[in-house]
Amino acid sequence: MRKALCFTLLFWINCSAVAQTKIIAGLIKDSHSEEPIPFASVQMKNSGIGKLSDSAGRFFLRLTTEQFADSLTVSYVGYTYFARVLSVPAGDTLFLTINLERGSIQKEVIIKSKKTRGWYLWRKIVQKKAENDRYRFENFGYELYNKLEVDLNRINTDKFKNIRLLRPFGFIIEQTVDSTSEDKPFLPVFLTETISDYYFQKTPLKRREEIKASRTSGLKNESVQKLLGGMDQNVNVYNNYIPVFDKRFVSPISDNGDAFYNYRLTDTQYIGGKRFFHLVFAPKHQGENTFLGDCWVHDSSFAIQKMNLRLADDANVNFVEKLSIIQEYKLVKDSIWFLSKDKFVIDVAPIGKQKFGVTGRKTTTYQNISINAGSVWEALQKNKKLEETVLLPGASEQTELYWQQQRHDTLSKNEKAIYAMVDTLQKMPLFKKYTNTITFLATGYKPIGNYEYGPWFNVISYDRIEGIRPRFDFGTSTAFSKKWWLRGYLAYGIRDQQFKGRFEITHLFKKNPRERLYLSYLNDYDFGQAYYDEVGQDNIFSLAIRKQGVPLKFLKIEQQKIEYSKETSSGFTFGVIATHKQFNPVRALPSLSYFDEPGNGGTLNNTELTFRVRFAYLERFVEGTFLRSSLGSPYPIAELRYSKGIAGVFNSKYNYNKLSLSINDYQKIGGAGEIYYNIYGGRVFGTLPFTMLEIHPGNEIYYYNKYAFNLMNRFEYISDRYAGINFEHNVGNGMFRLIKPTRSLKLRQFWTAKVLWGNLSDANKKLNYTDQYYDATAMKFDAATGKGWFPFQTLGDKTYMELGTGVDNIFKVLRLDLIWRVLPSDTAPAQKRFGVFGSFRIQF
């Protein structure tokens, strides 16, 4: 009886205890990337009860109600310590999602000797890189799912609703702002998804992507859709450098990574029966292009199973508050660790931290992996060039059912809301009005039905000949036609009381590869703009930045032009251009009377036929309907031109031949920054006036010109044979990283060199009144009357050289160039031997 009573009592006590036990079920995540954090330490502060989170960041604790009177703490290397006071849940389980904020890894990676256990592990990873990099295979392929989301973060919902212009869009805040985290509300505004098949072959090198499905909220541009596919998934942690925007960061498993990183081996864990090492790394030096982070490494193959990278606080990148790069690998065929997931998360703060910003999240998953397969080889036989991205027919019209069945992951509630929100917005007339206004201010162009006005910044300018010059630009829009584009401008000089203008017609036969016909008529002054991103003088900004004491040269041109160009899939562009020009020097240049010789009728009149061949292999573009912007090529771009002047056609007076060649390239050079160079040369065969010779580009304003000689005036040097090179090396932060104030300001260093060789035949010297043929008494320039001119100069096979350096990224948008005219030193006055120039650009 006693034994039975004791047993009953113990059983009752045990049942009571069990009845008072409750469960904590938690998930630990990185607050920025939202990736789970495996093997974090979870512990009750007072009782010491605890455990590690599993490989998916989850944990479970069983506590009595008395043990809930405590604080739950979470710690993990590289993150700030987390503590939360608990309260007893009403139910049996307390569900927690714990977002860990990032801390400093440098303080935790303490190196007492050079060769630590972490260093030895790093060395083994490097030794095995060739055996673990997926690009070691002869070929591979996979299905790729790509998802890109853009959110507006740190939204002040109350201010948003109280702004009068934004009140009509208040429903967006109510429907889509995620306020689950009270201190970080965000508004999802953009989402794109693609599903594609990707193929790679090592020898001969070929790449191909076939986009099977593409869906983008509010965007229907095919070139952008291709860029959002997998061809540009260029993050490979096994490479020595990892691209971040336009910069290259040293990979923590670079061949010489120990020169840039400290390493620490912190833990060993088993996942799925396999052992993994936990390696933590931090930069050795401040201000270098390196990462903070950690990785999990398989113990026998030394392959990366997961890599977490993030930017250090002092990284020399503009506008980026936080950035995370995550790569995960999975076993294929029981022995190959192959990429299974990519994630790239960035917080952009354009107006400062803790203020309105943008968050971008790009997630890519890889399935149906094939290695050294015949199917991959067969798919690549379709390629006509090394690299092709194809948007398959119907890819943009896939049904919702297709997406539900084929996407690798389900959309979250916010992601689903984006499509509905964008559809609603695009149907709102007020939204279209706001969008057009913002586009007009940013680009200068405003669509008006079938037509388009702009750019607005050319609306008025001023010069000595014309006085105030109003100008009106107008053209057709894509609503008028997607094959024909008509546009032009009309300007009027208040002082000279003359109209000027241009009219252009473009017909697009084919968009990809591009084939087009272009016709134009021009009757205006030459304002010196030769490149799309070069600042000319026909705008409202040029008045304030013109050099003092440099007379304006005015050359009026009447030109008719017809051009046909055709591109090929192999990167060649072939063009034929017929041009008729009539020149009339108006001020500070030799007048027509100086060229009044028997046979030419005193006119500067020529007809020219040009053949053009350009080669830009694998050049990429962001394309509109008629215009496009080049994203460059991984290879040098070459262009060859031959021109034939034909006398007797349209009253032309000159026979001549011209030949020119240029090669330019823009390349990253490891950790030493990036370089740009342009090598060029040419020859003019014939005795010709200056307008038909090579007029070397000068710059007469204080805005730095990448393509011109900035201490040379326009029309200062002419040649009929020439060669030159423009070179620029952007070092990055360089020596500025060594000093804390300049490192904090994220200043950047660069240097430039521009070299020119040229000469002029005796016949052309005589015709153009250079050297001894210039009459300083009769031909000297008179500023009061505008008659006469400064003599043209020729280098006479001497070298012209400008060297420069300066400071870039001042206040994140300004660049200051200090330029020295080194050669020829004997002909340059003191004021032309040195100059300071400014320019403006937005860059990461």
Side-chain angles (χ1 to χ4, degrees):
M1 180 65 69
R2 289 178 181 173
K3 289 182 180 180
L5 185 60
C6 289
F7 177 80
T8 303
L9 182 61
L10 289 172
F11 179 78
W12 180 82
I13 293 173
N14 185 58
C15 289
S16 299
V18 170
Q20 296 176 10
T21 298
K22 294 181 182 290
I23 295 173
I24 301 176
L27 173 63
I28 304 172
K29 298 193 302 181
D30 181 297
S31 64
H32 182 243
S33 68
E34 299 182 353
E35 284 293 296
I37 298 176
F39 311 118
S41 175
V42 182
Q43 192 173 35
M44 302 303 295
K45 185 175 182 180
N46 297 327
S47 67
I49 298 172
K51 63 189 304 183
L52 298 179
S53 62
D54 63 17
S55 59
R58 295 185 294 264
F59 69 90
F60 298 90
L61 291 178
R62 188 183 297 273
L63 303 176
T64 65
T65 53
E66 290 78 9
Q67 290 170 334
F68 264 85
D70 202 344
S71 295
L72 178 72
T73 66
V74 181
S75 60
Y76 190 77
V77 62
Y79 290 85
T80 57
Y81 180 77
F82 174 89
R84 172 174 172 171
V85 177
L86 298 179
S87 58
V88 179
D92 294 332
T93 305
L94 174 64
F95 296 97
L96 295 176
T97 297
I98 298 172
N99 294 309
L100 293 188
E101 296 289 342
R102 295 168 177 182
S104 175
I105 288 181
Q106 281 104 328
K107 297 178 181 179
E108 302 179 37
V109 184
I110 301 172
I111 304 301
K112 297 181 179 179
S113 63
K114 181 178 180 180
K115 297 182 179 180
T116 64
R117 290 194 304 160
W119 182 87
Y120 281 109
L121 177 56
W122 162 80
R123 190 174 67 170
K124 291 297 292 184
I125 297 171
V126 171
Q127 290 173 352
K128 295 286 186 177
K129 278 170 64 173
E131 301 175 22
N132 291 315
D133 190 348
R134 67 185 182 277
Y135 291 101
R136 71 189 184 275
F137 298 114
E138 187 57 35
N139 70 47
F140 59 78
Y142 43 71
E143 184 183 74
L144 178 148
Y145 170 68
N146 216 348
K147 180 173 64 178
L148 172 65
E149 178 186 346
V150 177
D151 306 324
L152 303 182
N153 57 36
R154 294 184 288 274
I155 296 289
N156 188 316
T157 56
D158 293 332
K159 287 185 178 180
F160 186 97
K161 294 177 181 179
N162 290 329
I163 296 175
R164 183 177 178 182
L165 294 176
L166 299 180
R167 284 176 189 169
F169 307 104
F171 71 94
I172 298 174
I173 293 293
E174 297 172 0
Q175 295 178 10
T176 58
V177 167
D178 190 317
S179 57
T180 55
S181 175
E182 294 181 359
D183 57 337
K184 292 184 179 180
F186 63 88
L187 172 64
V189 293
F190 177 82
L191 179 68
T192 180
E193 300 176 273
T194 59
I195 299 175
S196 59
D197 290 328
Y198 179 86
Y199 307 97
F200 169 86
Q201 178 178 284
K202 185 177 180 180
T203 309
L205 181 62
K206 288 184 180 181
R207 294 187 292 267
R208 180 177 184 83
E209 183 177 16
E210 296 179 352
I211 299 177
K212 301 184 292 185
S214 178
R215 183 162 74 162
T216 305
S217 60
L219 184 65
K220 301 298 181 183
N221 187 296
E222 181 176 331
S223 66
V224 175
Q225 288 176 308
K226 290 181 178 180
L227 292 172
L228 294 174
M231 192 66 77
D232 292 303
Q233 300 293 316
N234 50 5
V235 173
N236 180 8
V237 296
Y238 286 103
N239 287 342
N240 287 330
Y241 294 94
I242 295 174
V244 177
F245 300 111
D246 58 344
K247 296 172 177 55
R248 299 179 69 178
F249 279 64
V250 180
S251 170
I253 54 174
S254 167
D255 293 345
N256 60 340
D258 60 338
F260 298 91
Y261 290 95
N262 291 322
Y263 302 95
R264 178 186 169 199
L265 178 59
T266 64
D267 197 5
T268 302
Q269 292 289 342
Y270 284 85
I271 306 174
K274 293 179 173 58
R275 191 168 71 137
F276 294 89
F277 300 121
H278 188 203
L279 181 67
V280 177
F281 44 83
K284 272 189 174 180
H285 313 289
Q286 291 183 318
E288 291 184 330
N289 285 355
T290 49
F291 296 101
L292 297 165
D294 65 291
C295 61
W296 291 90
V297 185
H298 187 225
D299 71 335
S300 58
S301 65
F302 295 96
I304 301 298
Q305 187 267 339
K306 185 172 183 178
M307 177 75 77
N308 297 293
L309 304 173
R310 65 179 190 262
L311 289 187
D313 292 337
D314 58 359
N316 195 273
V317 180
N318 289 334
F319 311 118
V320 176
E321 185 176 356
K322 292 180 181 179
L323 183 143
S324 299
I325 300 174
I326 300 100
Q327 283 201 331
E328 294 182 14
Y329 294 76
K330 67 180 180 182
L331 267 181
V332 178
K333 297 181 179 180
D334 297 325
S335 61
I336 300 169
W337 289 95
F338 202 93
L339 183 64
S340 63
K341 182 180 178 181
D342 258 328
K343 193 167 186 180
F344 185 95
V345 184
I346 180 173
D347 282 359
V348 178
I351 58 175
K353 295 183 178 181
Q354 307 307 320
K355 295 183 179 180
F356 164 81
V358 177
T359 298
R361 297 182 178 90
K362 185 174 184 180
T363 305
T364 308
T365 52
Y366 307 82
Q367 293 184 2
N368 304 331
I369 296 166
S370 300
I371 298 174
N372 294 337
S375 59
V376 175
W377 182 85
E378 290 176 3
L380 287 165
Q381 298 313 299
K382 303 175 188 177
N383 275 27
K384 296 179 180 179
K385 56 183 179 179
L386 181 151
E387 180 181 290
E388 286 189 7
T389 301
V390 180
L391 190 68
L392 296 180
S396 300
E397 285 80 39
Q398 296 288 6
T399 64
E400 182 62 34
L401 178 61
Y402 173 92
W403 283 103
Q404 291 175 4
Q405 294 174 344
Q406 299 300 321
R407 65 164 60 97
H408 296 182
D409 195 7
T410 57
L411 295 181
S412 67
K413 176 184 175 182
N414 288 323
E415 290 168 342
K416 292 177 181 178
I418 292 175
Y419 287 122
M421 180 196 73
V422 172
D423 290 341
T424 302
L425 285 175
Q426 290 184 329
K427 294 175 183 177
M428 294 179 62
L430 186 61
F431 177 76
K432 293 180 180 179
K433 179 180 178 181
Y434 285 4
T435 301
N436 291 338
T437 301
I438 294 172
T439 302
F440 176 59
L441 294 175
T443 66
Y445 294 91
K446 179 178 179 60
I448 307 171
N450 290 338
Y451 304 97
E452 185 177 64
Y453 166 75
W456 61 263
F457 43 78
N458 287 338
V459 69
I460 193 165
S461 60
Y462 175 87
D463 59 66
R464 177 166 291 197
I465 294 294
E466 299 175 284
I468 297 174
R469 172 188 162 109
R471 170 173 155 172
F472 180 74
D473 292 70
F474 205 68
T476 61
S477 68
T478 53
F480 173 81
S481 173
K482 294 185 178 180
K483 291 289 185 181
W484 292 93
W485 189 31
L486 288 70
R487 67 175 298 100
Y489 69 83
L490 186 67
Y492 182 76
I494 302 298
R495 180 176 294 170
D496 68 358
Q497 299 183 356
Q498 291 184 14
F499 284 99
K500 301 94 180 172
R502 179 200 293 266
F503 181 69
E504 303 167 292
I505 300 174
T506 299
H507 178 61
L508 200 62
F509 296 101
K510 190 177 179 183
K511 195 170 182 180
N512 188 23
R514 180 161 290 216
E515 182 181 2
R516 71 163 197 157
L517 178 69
Y518 172 79
L519 300 92
S520 72
Y521 172 79
L522 170 70
N523 189 344
D524 202 350
Y525 292 108
D526 172 22
F527 287 99
Q529 187 169 2
Y531 296 89
Y532 73 96
D533 58 349
E534 182 180 351
V535 176
Q537 300 178 44
D538 184 21
N539 59 74
I540 62 177
F541 303 112
S542 65
L543 304 177
I545 55 177
R546 183 168 179 80
K547 295 179 184 177
Q548 298 297 315
V550 178
L552 281 165
K553 292 96 172 172
F554 283 87
L555 176 66
K556 198 169 188 182
I557 301 175
E558 185 175 2
Q559 172 185 282
Q560 299 86 35
K561 180 178 179 180
I562 180 170
E563 176 182 357
Y564 170 79
S565 63
K566 180 178 176 60
E567 295 180 358
T568 68
S569 58
S570 57
F572 281 99
T573 301
F574 300 95
V576 181
I577 309 167
T579 310
H580 175 71
K581 291 183 180 180
Q582 185 166 339
F583 301 92
N584 182 17
V586 176
R587 188 177 190 274
L589 293 169
S591 66
L592 290 176
S593 62
Y594 284 95
F595 300 96
D596 187 7
E597 294 184 358
N600 69 9
T603 63
L604 300 177
N605 189 349
N606 75 304
T607 299
E608 182 178 283
L609 187 63
T610 299
F611 300 92
R612 168 179 174 260
V613 180
R614 183 177 183 267
F615 183 64
Y617 192 51
L618 299 181
E619 184 177 20
R620 295 192 167 214
F621 300 92
V622 175
E623 299 188 67
T625 304
F626 298 102
L627 299 178
R628 61 184 183 176
S629 178
S630 175
L631 300 177
S633 164
Y635 304 97
I637 297 174
E639 182 168 334
L640 176 67
R641 283 178 176 255
Y642 168 72
S643 300
K644 171 66 178 175
I646 308 171
V649 178
F650 298 115
N651 204 31
S652 172
K653 306 299 181 182
Y654 300 96
N655 276 311
Y656 59 87
N657 295 278
K658 290 183 180 182
L659 190 65
S660 66
L661 174 67
S662 68
I663 301 173
N664 66 82
D665 196 12
Y666 177 87
Q667 286 291 338
K668 310 287 185 183
I669 48 175
E674 57 213 21
I675 61 170
Y676 163 82
Y677 67 83
N678 181 29
I679 303 172
Y680 58 92
R683 179 70 190 266
V684 182
F685 300 89
T687 302
L688 303 169
F690 70 97
T691 55
M692 298 164 214
L693 298 173
E694 178 66 19
I695 303 171
H696 299 298
N699 182 16
E700 296 182 349
I701 59 178
Y702 285 112
Y703 193 93
Y704 178 78
N705 191 322
K706 174 182 177 179
Y707 308 100
F709 295 93
N710 287 275
L711 291 175
M712 181 189 293
N713 293 333
R714 295 181 65 223
F715 298 99
E716 183 176 353
Y717 282 93
I718 59 176
S719 299
D720 55 21
R721 51 190 182 273
Y722 60 93
I725 180 170
N726 292 356
F727 184 88
E728 181 170 320
H729 179 195
N730 288 282
V731 182
N733 50 2
M735 65 179 183
F736 292 129
R737 72 174 180 81
L738 303 176
I739 307 171
K740 187 174 181 179
T742 54
R743 184 170 64 244
S744 300
L745 291 171
K746 298 186 178 182
L747 300 181
R748 297 170 187 170
Q749 183 183 357
F750 64 89
W751 66 273
T752 60
K754 295 181 180 179
V755 184
L756 173 68
W757 299 271
N759 209 339
L760 201 62
S761 67
D762 287 337
N764 278 321
K765 288 180 182 178
K766 183 176 181 179
L767 180 62
N768 292 282
Y769 306 96
T770 63
D771 298 340
Q772 69 269 26
Y773 303 104
Y774 177 78
D775 187 340
T777 302
M779 302 176 181
K780 184 178 180 180
F781 176 71
D782 184 351
T785 63
K787 304 296 183 181
W789 72 94
F790 289 97
F792 298 119
Q793 297 186 51
T794 178
L795 286 169
D797 288 327
K798 294 181 180 179
T799 301
Y800 181 97
M801 179 186 294
E802 290 181 1
L803 297 178
T805 187
V807 183
D808 196 4
N809 208 42
I810 303 171
F811 306 121
K812 300 181 181 180
V813 293
L814 299 178
R815 166 170 158 158
L816 192 67
D817 283 76
L818 310 177
I819 307 294
W820 289 265
R821 179 165 164 169
V822 180
L823 296 172
S825 58
D826 55 335
T827 61
Q831 67 271 22
K832 295 188 66 176
R833 293 177 188 168
F834 174 75
V836 180
F837 299 84
S839 56
F840 169 88
R841 63 176 180 168
I842 297 176
Q843 57 182 334
F844 282 99

